[in-house]
Amino acid sequence: MQISFSILGPMTAELRPAESGGRPVELDAGPFKQRLLLGLLLCRCNSVVLVEQLIDTLWWDGPPRTAHKNIQVYISHLRKLLAADGRPSRLRYRPPGYQLVLTPAEVDALRFEDLSRAGRLALRRGDAHSAAASMRQALGLWRGPALADLQLSPTLREEATRLDDRRLSVYEDWFEAELLLGNHAEVLEQIEGVVRAHPLRERLRSHQLTALYRCGRQAEALAEYDNHRQLLAAELGLDPSPALRRLYQNILSGHPALNAPPSALAAELNAGGRASGRRAGAQAGGYA
């Protein structure tokens, strides 16, 4: 058995059997304050979290006189929870705070970071196939907004925003990799929901316009650019970036640089990429 935590969505704790196919058992992480404490430790696992930071997370409107004692009680209960699989304590006192020591196999946020890092490195070295596969896996770990049940605490709301921003960056990298593979139709299926949620994000818009153009929808690409231009002016008083304006001009003129890359690999991956792309979007926490 192995304990496993998830924070890429509502926070959960499970005890999973070592053999594949076994059903996990959900663990009770305790009352709300204790769940908040565990949530912060999971967000910053393998780093020392100061006791004062824990107190601020649990009592953002002012701590009680018993705050330090309450923290000790919650820590004691969490140590019992963390010992559910019989392994040595992962929660250690490191003055002036506590350190929760976990591996990527034990918490989804660390697996997400490992996979997204591998995807970024593959993209930089020009291996779009490996990049897309790694980032699909990373996005598939999401079950909804990060820490969706713990955002009453301002500290955990900030942590959730940080995690959600990382997911958005991985989406952008994933779309870039899929466009390099010639999978513009699949990108278009997935990107619209992400753009609706983040309409001012120019890199997303660039991928969206490119995918529309490559799918033979030049007029829609031009209209989406104009929508973005008007929204930027209304919300921020800004014009589109020079890079996005160049993309617009290339779409307007039908510049050959916008054509899909002539890659035999793109054709070979098309059928598998389509199914994988849809599956990743369905699992990736509600954008698509």
Side-chain angles (χ1 to χ4, degrees):
M1 304 291 280
Q2 183 180 38
I3 201 164
S4 177
F5 295 97
S6 299
I7 59 174
L8 303 181
M11 189 183 73
T12 62
E14 293 179 334
L15 198 58
R16 296 184 175 180
E19 65 277 4
S20 60
R23 298 186 62 181
V25 176
E26 187 170 352
L27 300 174
D28 183 4
F32 184 63
K33 295 291 188 186
Q34 184 171 302
R35 291 175 61 82
L36 290 174
L37 190 152
L38 176 58
L40 184 60
L41 291 171
L42 288 169
C43 288
R44 302 181 186 178
C45 61
N46 301 320
S47 299
V48 175
V49 182
L50 303 181
V51 171
E52 294 306 317
Q53 292 174 329
L54 294 172
I55 290 174
D56 288 344
T57 299
L58 273 60
W59 296 283
W60 56 91
D61 53 354
R65 288 182 305 222
T66 58
H68 283 84
K69 183 177 180 180
N70 291 349
I71 291 290
Q72 291 173 355
V73 171
Y74 294 145
I75 290 291
S76 177
H77 288 319
L78 287 177
R79 282 198 170 115
K80 292 177 183 177
L81 173 72
L82 289 158
D85 59 1
R87 300 192 182 190
S89 177
R90 302 167 172 89
L91 184 51
R92 303 164 185 175
Y93 181 55
R94 294 283 188 266
Y98 291 91
Q99 180 187 38
L100 179 56
V101 180
L102 295 172
T103 67
E106 295 167 323
V107 60
D108 59 354
L110 290 182
R111 291 197 297 281
F112 172 76
E113 287 299 333
D114 278 1
L115 287 165
S116 59
R117 187 181 303 111
R120 284 196 309 274
L121 290 173
L123 196 57
R124 287 173 188 167
R125 66 174 182 265
D127 185 355
H129 181 200
S130 296
S134 293
M135 288 180 285
R136 255 196 315 269
Q137 284 184 270
L139 292 167
L141 295 172
W142 285 76
R143 298 166 293 110
L147 300 163
D149 54 333
L150 300 179
Q151 292 193 29
L152 189 61
S153 165
T155 301
L156 287 178
R157 196 156 56 243
E158 290 176 8
E159 292 290 339
T161 298
R162 176 183 61 80
L163 289 166
D164 287 335
D165 285 346
R166 285 288 305 114
R167 173 173 61 157
L168 186 54
S169 294
V170 173
Y171 262 113
E172 291 172 333
D173 289 338
W174 178 43
F175 294 141
E176 180 178 336
E178 293 289 3
L179 287 172
L180 288 170
L181 293 171
N183 295 331
H184 34 272
E186 289 74 19
V187 168
L188 205 53
E189 286 182 17
Q190 302 297 330
I191 201 170
E192 291 182 354
V194 190
V195 169
R196 281 195 301 271
H198 303 277
L200 297 174
R201 193 94 170 191
E202 287 215 341
R203 191 176 174 209
L204 277 178
R205 285 291 193 176
S206 174
H207 295 332
Q208 179 195 32
L209 299 182
T210 301
L212 281 167
Y213 178 80
R214 289 183 181 176
C215 287
R217 295 160 63 178
Q218 181 187 33
E220 289 179 60
L222 296 173
E224 283 295 338
Y225 172 86
D226 197 52
N227 291 338
H228 178 67
R229 180 186 60 77
Q230 294 182 46
L231 186 63
L232 270 180
E235 296 287 332
L236 303 176
L238 298 174
D239 293 323
S241 68
L244 201 63
R245 293 200 299 272
R246 283 195 299 273
L247 177 60
Y248 169 76
Q249 291 297 330
N250 285 342
I251 292 172
L252 194 62
S253 64
H255 198 288
L258 288 180
N259 295 338
S263 169
L265 179 60
E268 294 171 7
L269 293 175
N270 195 37
R274 182 179 295 112
S276 298
R278 290 196 183 109
R279 184 164 56 251
Q283 293 175 345
Y287 278 140

